[in-house]
Amino acid sequence: MAAVTAAQPRSSKTESYVDNKRKEDIRQANIKAARAVADAVRTSLGPKGMDKMISTANGEVIITNDGATILNKMEVLQPAAKMLVDLSKSQDSAAGDGTTTVVVIAGALLKQCLLLLTNGIHPTVISDSLHKASTKAVDVLTAMAVPLEISDRESLIKSASTSLNSKVVSQYSTLLAPLAVDSVLSVVDPAKPDMVDLRDIKIVKKLGGTVDDTELVKGLVFDKKASHAAGGPTRMENAKIAVIQFQISPPKTDIEQSIVVSDYTQMDRILKEERNYILGMIKKIKATGCNVLLIQKSILRDAVTDLSLHYLAKAKIMVIKDVEREDIEFITKTLNCLPIANIEHFRAEKLGHADLVEEVSLGDGKIVKVTGIKDMGRTTTVLIRGSNQLVIDEAERSLHDALCVVRCLVSKRFLIAGGGAPEIELSRQLGAWSKVLHGMEGYCVRSFAEALEVIPYTLAENAGLNRIAIVTELRNRHAQGEINAGINVRKGQITNILEENVVQPLLVSTSAITLATECVRMILKIDDIVNVRDSTMVSTAKYLLSSRILYGGFFLNFLLCLFVFFSKLCFLVNNETIHMQHAHLAIQALL
Ligand code: ADP
Ligand code: MG
């Protein structure tokens, strides 16, 4: 990247900036640390980018190309470098894709900022100019974007494929892209056409087969088998399904206690009572016509016992137990039924209906599928398959990116070319704009424009092309008015990238630029790192607490109470004693 070397004549003396050494050092250290993070993920950008193998402390290995995942797993200690990790996370939640791009752009901006700072420009001037440049950049991108109709399935698939192309599982993009589009479109609510809640798409992972066997299931999939106890049914047609949150087991006392029964007749009575209790419950369930039970996992006592499973099997009721609490909402939404929290509320109108619930063998395990649901809610399940856990996990992350891309397009219906085309066009237009700005501002905007060239440079570099030759040609083609010319990494030349079907949502590009700029501005404005020690009050509180834990005793308890009372008093008298408040809160939390 052409560095800004010759300082432009400054318009007035007041704009030049002299800072003291320490502040400069802190700023430089922050920028260098943050750039190191950006450099670490740079090689992963684009379809020909490299993957990273991450080995965690507990021996787990992850192979990924996703910027957010790489950074998330990295052990970053420097506070400014951590900001870049958070930046990637913000992009992940704002757009879902472009998590590497945002960090690479931030790294390039920081490099330019360092040059501007060494040229004596005040950080505030740089920060304000960056803000101005990013606002202009968003305008330019919006003007470049092509509007999209949500019914245009082909274009949606193209952009999902672009996002999948750069992943480890790119060879399966022909399968995963349409799957992502169909699943997002099936959960769009016509009443709120631009809102997509990705929680309505459940991803179930099952080891075995290949990613090619991944399928979209219109219904529910449970990654567990049905209960086989006492030969209970494992397939049910015309299913009437109840989701229950109560236990079909004998009640327990509230407090832990044991009852000793020494008389055999008494014991017989207890067993009989238990049988009657459970039978009574099962009769109530059967009376509503229910023939499939989904039982929520219980921590207080067993949700089902061997005895209740036996009677349920006799009543020809299929049982799927240990359903997770957090899945209940998704299940009831899909089945269009109500969860039942008490046997007294067990009524036929609370049941869900499906054509078939069956246990299927898959690989070396079994799953339960519920299909043909009547009045099914707007949800979908994707069953991901793969030959090993690494592939399955990466397939899930990649599919998440593709789903996010389609979600972006549903909420903001504009497409933009990929392959470095938007960045180089931005760079060109902002470069031209910087010439009409005055003084330092123009100088900073020009640096911003140059920083954006990092994307085409990196795409070319990662694809093993001659970066200077490629980017120069790209710049020329854009200067001649071909705004959609981009780097075709497959052919190794510049082509109209829209014709190559490399498209991405506008939201991904705009949010990458605005978020990266915000983060860089924040780092620029830091001129000191302050380590805070505990105040005397907090230290005293900690000391008292640790002695109490060690020695216990009435006297220490008394002292602690006195301290709490005293700190509360101080807090009441003077609201600003923030240390006192901290000490007080710490004690309350620990007590
Ligand atoms: P991110 O995590 O930021 O999404 P990716 O590794 O997915 O990073 O790379 C995204 C970049 O790769 C985008 O700038 C996109 O335009 C570019 N890209 C994706 N597919 C292609 C392709 N087939 N040809 C050229 N560039 C591509
Ligand atoms: Mg991507």
Side-chain angles (χ1 to χ4, degrees), residues 1-2 42 450 453-462 467-468 471-472 475 487:
M1 189 180 320
R42 221 183 128 197
E450 279 175 17
E453 289 188 353
V454 73
I455 299 292
Y457 269 119
T458 312
L459 284 177
E461 204 174 299
N462 288 349
R467 50 181 244 158
I468 307 229
V471 176
T472 312
R475 222 182 279 137
I487 304 173

Side-chain angles (χ1 to χ4, degrees), residues 44-47 49 65-68 97-102 161-163 165-167 401 417-423 455 459 487-490 497 500 502 504 508:
S44 301
L45 186 82
N65 179 284
D66 186 46
D97 194 20
T99 49
T100 320
T101 312
V102 72
S161 314
T162 306
S163 129
N165 271 340
S166 48
K167 305 292 180 193
D401 276 20
E423 288 82 9
I455 299 292
L459 284 177
I487 304 173
N488 186 334
V489 289
R490 297 231 161 71
I497 208 80
E500 299 290 330
V502 179
Q504 57 198 34
V508 171

Side-chain angles (χ1 to χ4, degrees), residues 153-356:
R153 190 165 172 272
E154 279 308 306
S155 295
L156 291 174
I157 292 178
K158 279 183 212 163
S159 34
S161 314
T162 306
S163 129
L164 287 167
N165 271 340
S166 48
K167 305 292 180 193
V168 181
V169 290
S170 58
Q171 80 229 51
Y172 303 109
S173 60
T174 44
L175 168 82
L176 296 180
L179 200 141
V181 173
D182 291 342
S183 39
V184 172
L185 290 187
S186 67
V187 301
V188 178
D189 187 351
K192 287 181 248 156
D194 45 6
M195 285 272 290
V196 177
D197 188 351
L198 288 188
R199 279 174 301 182
D200 290 340
I201 300 171
K202 188 168 169 58
I203 294 182
V204 179
K205 297 183 279 183
K206 190 82 189 159
L207 196 66
T210 63
V211 180
D212 263 331
D213 302 325
T214 300
E215 58 173 325
L216 189 83
V217 182
K218 278 253 154 251
L220 280 174
V221 175
F222 294 96
D223 182 16
K224 52 180 63 128
K225 48 185 188 180
S227 160
H228 285 242
T234 54
R235 180 188 153 90
M236 193 61 72
E237 282 176 19
N238 277 330
K240 293 195 177 69
I241 309 165
V243 182
I244 64 166
Q245 296 180 305
F246 59 87
Q247 296 86 1
I248 312 181
S249 61
K252 263 189 183 169
T253 46
D254 283 343
I255 44 172
E256 196 62 44
Q257 53 181 233
S258 50
I259 303 164
V260 182
V261 186
S262 47
D263 186 356
Y264 181 74
T265 50
Q266 290 291 340
M267 206 160 97
D268 209 32
R269 255 188 68 197
I270 293 179
L271 288 176
K272 208 186 231 162
E273 272 304 312
E274 183 181 331
R275 260 200 309 269
N276 286 343
Y277 178 78
I278 288 173
L279 263 176
M281 279 177 121
I282 292 173
K283 269 186 194 149
K284 269 188 195 154
I285 293 174
K286 192 72 193 164
T288 57
C290 165
N291 51 16
V292 178
L293 270 189
L294 305 178
I295 305 177
Q296 185 185 314
K297 199 181 229 170
S298 162
I299 44 164
L300 291 176
R301 58 181 154 121
D302 297 336
V304 276
T305 58
D306 285 346
L307 189 70
S308 53
L309 282 178
H310 171 83
Y311 284 130
L312 283 168
K314 273 200 163 171
K316 297 262 174 295
I317 297 179
M318 182 172 170
V319 178
I320 298 151
K321 53 183 185 177
D322 292 341
V323 176
E324 296 293 341
R325 169 72 192 86
E326 57 261 30
D327 291 343
I328 297 286
E329 200 181 331
F330 179 83
I331 294 171
T332 47
K333 188 169 181 192
T334 310
L335 290 174
N336 207 358
C337 67
L338 288 171
I340 307 167
N342 194 310
I343 185 74
E344 301 305 327
H345 304 149
F346 207 108
R347 279 189 289 276
E349 62 268 20
K350 290 194 175 175
L351 305 184
H353 300 260
D355 289 343
L356 182 64

